[in-house]
Amino acid sequence: MNPPAVAIVEPKTPGNIGTIARAMKNFGMHDLKLVNPPEFGRDSEAYGFAGQAREDVLPNYDEVTFDHLVENYHTVGLTATTNEDARKHRRFPFQTPDELADSLRDVDADTCLIFGREDNGLTNDEMARVDQVCSIPASADYSSLNLGQAATVTLYELRDLTLDETQLPDVERERADEAEIEGFYDHFAEFLAAIDHPEEKRAKTLRLARRLLGRAHPTGREVRTLRGVLRRAIYHADDDS
């Protein structure tokens, strides 16, 4: 899918606009919409907080109306307040950001994530007009997140829809190949014999090692290091005997 647009309705603090623009650039989004924003210029907190997004995402924002968003996008309203049930469904049912990511994969339409005002978010009337509702699970004692925090958490959870790659290595590709891992198990069996581990327990111990390493998904270097330790242990065990 195309990366979702991100809209902020009547933001009061330019710094929050910059923070959200930065999060958008972090997670592969670029289309920023502002509904009735405050004035801000190059010397404002918006640009100060935007990081490298000051060069593209932020200066290229569109000022639009809420009506424009509803009429032209598949809309997702973000809210911290979800104290409704099926009898009142302006804010119900809702999805968490990670659940939202799965549901948006099948949406064949331009999508816009709509964040509300810093003090009271989106109104009930506005929430009634959006297509989906998303909320971040938080403490029941204090569920309200800062606008910039809420946007950053949400955009992070959608990164698989918007980023082909990140700065981090692919863990699955870094995993040792099966031949290396099987070689470790062979080496571990030699080790058990070398230390005279009870023969009747060796199969079970080897199986436990296999389960443990299977969950760990070690890299090739990690497997080679462990085999080096086993090799020295076997050498000293044989030497002592």
Side-chain angles (χ1 to χ4, degrees), residues 191 194-195 228-238:
F191 167 74
I195 65 172
V229 173
L230 291 177
R231 190 177 299 111
R232 289 188 63 83
I234 292 169
Y235 170 80
H236 286 292
D238 289 342

Side-chain angles (χ1 to χ4, degrees), residues 18-82:
T19 297
I20 293 175
R22 179 172 185 157
M24 290 174 64
K25 191 171 181 70
N26 285 144
F27 302 117
M29 303 175 206
H30 57 270
D31 190 3
L32 176 62
K33 312 289 187 185
L34 300 178
V35 177
N36 193 23
E39 292 187 7
F40 61 91
R42 284 274 176 179
D43 58 347
S44 69
E45 284 187 341
Y47 279 85
F49 290 5
Q52 293 186 15
R54 70 170 65 92
E55 304 301 330
D56 44 26
V57 178
L58 185 55
N60 292 323
Y61 79 87
D62 296 317
E63 185 169 350
V64 300
T65 64
F66 193 87
D67 287 343
H68 172 85
L69 299 176
V70 172
E71 292 166 3
N72 291 277
Y73 292 89
H74 176 84
T75 51
V76 181
L78 281 295
T79 179
T81 305
T82 58

Side-chain angles (χ1 to χ4, degrees), residues 25 78 82 94 111 119 134 180 202 208 235:
K25 191 171 181 70
L78 281 295
T82 58
F94 62 90
T111 299
D119 51 359
C134 179
E180 290 179 303
R202 292 179 193 177
L208 291 175
Y235 170 80

Side-chain angles (χ1 to χ4, degrees), residues 177-188 206 210 213 223 227:
D177 62 41
E178 292 306 315
E180 290 179 303
I181 295 175
E182 287 300 318
F184 168 83
Y185 298 138
D186 292 341
H187 228 140
F188 189 68
L206 185 58
R210 181 180 288 273
L213 207 64
V223 170
R227 292 187 70 178

Side-chain angles (χ1 to χ4, degrees), residues 143-157:
S143 61
S144 179
L145 277 73
N146 170 277
L147 175 59
Q149 292 174 324
T152 300
V153 169
T154 303
L155 303 190
Y156 165 77
E157 291 289 358

